[in-house]
Amino acid sequence: MKYIKELSGLLKHNIRDYGMYIALAVIMITFQILTDGLFLSSRNISNLLDSAGYIAVLAVGVMLVIVIRHIDLSIGFLAGFLGAIAAILLMQFNMPVFIVIPIILVMGIAAGSITGALVAKVGIPAFVATLAGWLIYRGALLMVTEKTGTINVDNDAFNAIGNGYIPAIAEVAGLHLLSLIIGGIGILFYIYSAISNRRNKIKYEFDVVSKPIFTLQLVFVSGIIAYITWLLAGYNGFSWTVIIIILVVLVYHFITTKTVLGRHIYAVGSNPEAAHLTGINVSKITFIVFGSMGMLSALSGILFTARLESATTTAGTLFELDAIAAAFVGGVSAAGGVGKVTGAVIGAIVMATLINGMNLLGVGIAPQYMIRGGVLAAAVIFDVMTRRQRA
């Protein structure tokens, strides 16, 4: 009884963090029942994660932008435009992939930095500055694709980024061995990090959950990682898209939780005036966050172009709205200062899960948009209610 009360209290006080995971589990179980077991098949889960990749990457960047109380509407067509530039460099200039990718990422950083300078230095509202970027990149995308309408990418190495899988060194009982090894390493890394974090909290006399509840957390999360690994290993293993998502999550999770820069980002989001008075360079933080957003937009464009194996005039359409929706569903607060990298990615997976499940059930496109809008509204309402309760 004592542990049940502790567990219920833990869920109640951390509902913002755990709510999205509970919602994702409920949605997946519902679709699994409605599709007669098709939804959680290895092939479908693999396709679902790959289709969520380019939005998940954008969601991580836009989450940080919202955390510092800004918005970026230009990221969709920036991704589409840079994806088209990548296709042009590959096909018309015959440049190798290992040169094209760094060039596109640097271009993304430059584009994001320009937006950041307009917002941080010139003082233009982010909504206006990024709306201007939306129009500029939309026009630029049309300009570079107007001759053919579509630029087909006939490059196996590049296309593998969006459609390929990590090599299979061997199979064990029909399962992809390298994927099993990566999943095992992921479980060990999670357990080590969780134990290390708990020890640090105890060292500095912070409150921690009891050992039985902590052990339950370790077993539960490890079980989820193991199950997803087993599913993917039963198909073609981890795709390169999933590996890229994992790397983005690890890098940005480290930056936001273990570095001074991360602490400054959340300080600026919580109270820009107070952050400025404590010596934090708010303009610099704004500049860095928008530069990071530009780089992730470039990466998103690469993933999308590689997945389609072509660049089109419509690439990037509504990407920004999907990414913003994913960030809010993932727990970022409209008031700023609150949000997690893992939450943004889970939010993207929730939205992709809804689309995938409704497609399997044959739901029309009109009801799909309405349902996705309802989910976004519910996420924001939940955020507002949570803040009111804490206040």
Side-chain angles (χ1 to χ4, degrees), residues 76-101:
F77 283 124
L78 175 58
F81 169 64
L82 292 177
I85 295 298
I88 290 171
L89 293 178
L90 287 166
M91 303 312 299
Q92 297 182 15
F93 291 89
N94 296 316
M95 295 178 66
V97 174
F98 65 87
I99 292 179
V100 170
I101 291 177

Side-chain angles (χ1 to χ4, degrees), residues 286-305:
T286 303
F287 184 81
I288 291 173
V289 169
F290 274 98
S292 167
M293 182 73 260
M295 183 189 69
L296 292 175
S297 297
L299 181 57
S300 175
I302 290 171
L303 287 171
F304 186 73
T305 303

Side-chain angles (χ1 to χ4, degrees), residues 17 62 139 145 158 164 185 203 225 260 274 291 310 338 358:
D17 295 331
V62 84
T145 58
F158 181 81
I185 293 173
K203 179 180 177 182
I225 297 173
V260 174
S310 63
V338 176
M358 288 188 290

Side-chain angles (χ1 to χ4, degrees), residues 187 190-192 194-195 213-223:
I187 292 173
Y190 164 72
I191 293 174
Y192 170 79
I195 293 175
I213 298 298
F214 178 68
T215 302
L216 180 63
Q217 288 179 334
L218 292 182
V219 172
F220 181 71
V221 175
S222 298

Side-chain angles (χ1 to χ4, degrees), residues 53-71:
Y54 62 94
I55 295 300
V57 168
L58 281 180
V60 170
V62 84
M63 181 274 296
L64 293 179
V65 173
I66 297 173
V67 162
I68 62 170
R69 303 188 180 189
H70 289 298
I71 198 68

Side-chain angles (χ1 to χ4, degrees), residues 82-266:
L82 292 177
I85 295 298
I88 290 171
L89 293 178
L90 287 166
M91 303 312 299
Q92 297 182 15
F93 291 89
N94 296 316
M95 295 178 66
V97 174
F98 65 87
I99 292 179
V100 170
I101 291 177
I103 289 175
I104 298 302
L105 294 178
V106 170
M107 290 179 66
I109 294 172
S113 297
I114 292 173
T115 303
L118 292 175
V119 174
K121 303 296 183 182
V122 182
I124 299 176
F127 182 89
V128 177
T130 59
L131 179 59
W134 187 96
L135 294 169
I136 291 169
Y137 298 131
R138 174 59 171 154
L141 174 61
L142 291 174
M143 184 179 295
V144 298
T145 58
E146 64 181 353
K147 289 184 179 180
T148 60
T150 299
I151 304 173
N152 293 318
V153 180
D154 186 17
N155 186 301
D156 293 338
F158 181 81
N159 292 337
I161 297 173
N163 298 290
Y165 299 85
I166 62 175
I169 55 177
E171 287 192 0
V172 177
L175 299 177
H176 195 278
L177 178 58
L178 185 55
S179 296
L180 293 176
I181 293 173
I182 292 174
I185 293 173
I187 292 173
L188 293 176
F189 178 77
Y190 164 72
I191 293 174
Y192 170 79
S193 299
I195 293 175
S196 177
N197 187 45
R198 177 182 169 84
R199 286 176 178 171
N200 286 334
K201 286 183 176 181
I202 293 175
K203 179 180 177 182
Y204 294 104
E205 299 182 349
F206 286 106
D207 291 334
V208 295
V209 297
S210 63
K211 282 188 176 181
I213 298 298
F214 178 68
T215 302
L216 180 63
Q217 288 179 334
L218 292 182
V219 172
F220 181 71
V221 175
S222 298
I224 292 176
I225 297 173
Y227 181 66
I228 294 174
T229 300
W230 176 76
L231 280 176
L232 296 179
Y235 183 49
N236 286 324
F238 284 103
S239 66
W240 287 114
T241 296
V242 171
I243 295 298
I244 290 171
I245 295 173
I246 292 173
L247 290 176
V248 168
V249 169
L250 290 176
V251 170
Y252 275 83
H253 179 72
F254 176 80
I255 291 173
T256 55
T257 60
K258 304 295 183 181
T259 67
V260 174
L261 174 61
R263 289 193 290 273
H264 285 182
I265 288 172
Y266 285 98

